[in-house]
Short mmCIF file of all heavy atoms in Angstrom, two decimals:
data_model
loop_
_atom_site.label_atom_id
_atom_site.label_comp_id
_atom_site.label_asym_id
_atom_site.label_seq_id
_atom_site.Cartn_x
_atom_site.Cartn_y
_atom_site.Cartn_z
N ARG A 391 -48.59 -133.68 44.74
CA ARG A 391 -49.96 -133.87 44.23
C ARG A 391 -50.18 -133.26 42.86
O ARG A 391 -51.04 -133.71 42.12
CB ARG A 391 -50.95 -133.21 45.19
CG ARG A 391 -50.86 -133.75 46.58
CD ARG A 391 -52.15 -134.32 47.01
NE ARG A 391 -52.00 -134.96 48.31
CZ ARG A 391 -52.99 -135.08 49.17
NH1 ARG A 391 -54.19 -134.62 48.87
NH2 ARG A 391 -52.79 -135.67 50.32
N LEU A 392 -49.44 -132.18 42.58
CA LEU A 392 -49.74 -131.43 41.35
C LEU A 392 -48.66 -131.59 40.29
O LEU A 392 -48.77 -131.04 39.20
CB LEU A 392 -49.91 -129.94 41.67
CG LEU A 392 -51.09 -129.58 42.56
CD1 LEU A 392 -51.06 -128.11 42.94
CD2 LEU A 392 -52.41 -129.92 41.85
N GLY A 393 -47.59 -132.30 40.62
CA GLY A 393 -46.53 -132.50 39.64
C GLY A 393 -45.39 -131.52 39.83
O GLY A 393 -45.52 -130.51 40.54
N GLY A 394 -44.28 -131.85 39.20
CA GLY A 394 -43.03 -131.13 39.40
C GLY A 394 -43.06 -129.67 39.00
O GLY A 394 -42.16 -128.91 39.36
N ASN A 395 -44.08 -129.24 38.27
CA ASN A 395 -44.11 -127.84 37.85
C ASN A 395 -44.93 -126.97 38.79
O ASN A 395 -45.08 -125.77 38.55
CB ASN A 395 -44.70 -127.72 36.44
CG ASN A 395 -43.70 -128.15 35.39
OD1 ASN A 395 -42.49 -128.20 35.66
ND2 ASN A 395 -44.18 -128.45 34.21
N ALA A 396 -45.44 -127.54 39.85
CA ALA A 396 -46.34 -126.78 40.73
C ALA A 396 -45.68 -125.52 41.26
O ALA A 396 -46.26 -124.43 41.21
CB ALA A 396 -46.80 -127.66 41.88
N THR A 397 -44.44 -125.64 41.72
CA THR A 397 -43.77 -124.48 42.31
C THR A 397 -43.54 -123.40 41.26
O THR A 397 -43.71 -122.21 41.52
CB THR A 397 -42.43 -124.91 42.93
OG1 THR A 397 -42.66 -126.06 43.73
CG2 THR A 397 -41.85 -123.82 43.78
N VAL A 398 -43.14 -123.85 40.05
CA VAL A 398 -42.94 -122.90 38.96
C VAL A 398 -44.24 -122.13 38.72
O VAL A 398 -44.24 -120.90 38.59
CB VAL A 398 -42.51 -123.65 37.67
CG1 VAL A 398 -42.39 -122.69 36.50
CG2 VAL A 398 -41.20 -124.40 37.91
N ASP A 399 -45.35 -122.85 38.71
CA ASP A 399 -46.64 -122.20 38.49
C ASP A 399 -46.98 -121.23 39.63
O ASP A 399 -47.49 -120.14 39.39
CB ASP A 399 -47.77 -123.24 38.38
CG ASP A 399 -47.59 -124.12 37.14
OD1 ASP A 399 -46.85 -123.70 36.22
OD2 ASP A 399 -48.17 -125.22 37.10
N PHE A 400 -46.67 -121.62 40.87
CA PHE A 400 -46.94 -120.73 42.01
C PHE A 400 -46.20 -119.40 41.84
O PHE A 400 -46.75 -118.33 42.04
CB PHE A 400 -46.47 -121.36 43.33
CG PHE A 400 -47.24 -122.59 43.75
CD1 PHE A 400 -46.77 -123.39 44.78
CD2 PHE A 400 -48.43 -122.94 43.12
CE1 PHE A 400 -47.46 -124.53 45.18
CE2 PHE A 400 -49.14 -124.07 43.51
CZ PHE A 400 -48.65 -124.87 44.54
N PHE A 401 -44.93 -119.51 41.50
CA PHE A 401 -44.12 -118.29 41.34
C PHE A 401 -44.67 -117.42 40.22
O PHE A 401 -44.77 -116.20 40.36
CB PHE A 401 -42.66 -118.64 41.08
CG PHE A 401 -41.85 -118.80 42.33
CD1 PHE A 401 -41.82 -120.00 43.03
CD2 PHE A 401 -41.10 -117.73 42.83
CE1 PHE A 401 -41.07 -120.14 44.19
CE2 PHE A 401 -40.34 -117.86 43.99
CZ PHE A 401 -40.33 -119.07 44.67
N ASP A 402 -45.01 -118.07 39.09
CA ASP A 402 -45.56 -117.35 37.94
C ASP A 402 -46.80 -116.57 38.32
O ASP A 402 -46.92 -115.38 38.05
CB ASP A 402 -46.02 -118.38 36.89
CG ASP A 402 -44.96 -118.59 35.84
OD1 ASP A 402 -43.86 -118.03 36.00
OD2 ASP A 402 -45.25 -119.34 34.88
N THR A 403 -47.72 -117.27 38.97
CA THR A 403 -48.99 -116.66 39.33
C THR A 403 -48.77 -115.53 40.33
O THR A 403 -49.37 -114.46 40.21
CB THR A 403 -49.94 -117.72 39.95
OG1 THR A 403 -49.85 -118.90 39.15
CG2 THR A 403 -51.35 -117.23 40.01
N ALA A 404 -47.87 -115.78 41.31
CA ALA A 404 -47.61 -114.76 42.32
C ALA A 404 -47.00 -113.51 41.68
O ALA A 404 -47.36 -112.38 42.00
CB ALA A 404 -46.70 -115.32 43.41
N LYS A 405 -46.08 -113.73 40.76
CA LYS A 405 -45.40 -112.59 40.11
C LYS A 405 -46.40 -111.74 39.35
O LYS A 405 -46.35 -110.52 39.39
CB LYS A 405 -44.30 -113.11 39.17
CG LYS A 405 -43.41 -112.06 38.58
CD LYS A 405 -42.24 -111.64 39.46
CE LYS A 405 -42.45 -110.41 40.27
NZ LYS A 405 -41.31 -110.05 41.12
N ARG A 406 -47.33 -112.42 38.69
CA ARG A 406 -48.33 -111.66 37.93
C ARG A 406 -49.29 -110.93 38.87
O ARG A 406 -49.70 -109.81 38.61
CB ARG A 406 -49.11 -112.59 36.98
CG ARG A 406 -48.37 -112.72 35.64
CD ARG A 406 -49.16 -113.54 34.63
NE ARG A 406 -48.90 -114.97 34.82
CZ ARG A 406 -49.82 -115.84 35.20
NH1 ARG A 406 -51.06 -115.46 35.44
NH2 ARG A 406 -49.49 -117.12 35.34
N ALA A 407 -49.61 -111.56 40.00
CA ALA A 407 -50.58 -110.96 40.92
C ALA A 407 -50.00 -109.77 41.69
O ALA A 407 -50.71 -108.83 42.00
CB ALA A 407 -51.10 -112.01 41.90
N ASP A 408 -48.71 -109.82 42.01
CA ASP A 408 -48.10 -108.72 42.77
C ASP A 408 -46.67 -108.49 42.28
O ASP A 408 -45.71 -108.89 42.91
CB ASP A 408 -48.10 -109.05 44.27
CG ASP A 408 -47.71 -107.85 45.14
OD1 ASP A 408 -47.38 -106.78 44.56
OD2 ASP A 408 -47.74 -107.97 46.37
N PRO A 409 -46.57 -107.79 41.13
CA PRO A 409 -45.25 -107.68 40.47
C PRO A 409 -44.19 -106.99 41.34
O PRO A 409 -43.01 -107.17 41.11
CB PRO A 409 -45.54 -106.85 39.22
CG PRO A 409 -47.02 -106.85 39.07
CD PRO A 409 -47.62 -107.10 40.41
N LEU A 410 -44.61 -106.19 42.31
CA LEU A 410 -43.63 -105.43 43.08
C LEU A 410 -43.10 -106.19 44.29
O LEU A 410 -42.13 -105.78 44.92
CB LEU A 410 -44.22 -104.09 43.54
CG LEU A 410 -44.62 -103.13 42.43
CD1 LEU A 410 -45.00 -101.77 43.01
CD2 LEU A 410 -43.48 -102.94 41.41
N ALA A 411 -43.74 -107.30 44.64
CA ALA A 411 -43.27 -108.07 45.80
C ALA A 411 -42.07 -108.92 45.39
O ALA A 411 -41.98 -109.38 44.26
CB ALA A 411 -44.38 -108.95 46.33
N THR A 412 -41.15 -109.10 46.32
CA THR A 412 -40.00 -109.97 46.08
C THR A 412 -40.39 -111.37 46.52
O THR A 412 -40.87 -111.57 47.63
CB THR A 412 -38.80 -109.47 46.91
OG1 THR A 412 -38.61 -108.09 46.62
CG2 THR A 412 -37.54 -110.23 46.56
N LEU A 413 -40.18 -112.34 45.62
CA LEU A 413 -40.64 -113.69 45.91
C LEU A 413 -39.52 -114.54 46.50
O LEU A 413 -38.44 -114.66 45.93
CB LEU A 413 -41.17 -114.34 44.62
CG LEU A 413 -42.31 -113.56 43.95
CD1 LEU A 413 -42.82 -114.32 42.72
CD2 LEU A 413 -43.45 -113.27 44.92
#
Side-chain angles (χ1 to χ4, degrees):
R391 301 239 175 153
L392 296 173
N395 284 341
T397 312
V398 176
D399 295 341
F400 293 168
F401 272 84
D402 264 6
T403 316
K405 187 84 263 179
R406 273 184 275 115
D408 190 357
L410 297 188
T412 308
L413 303 183

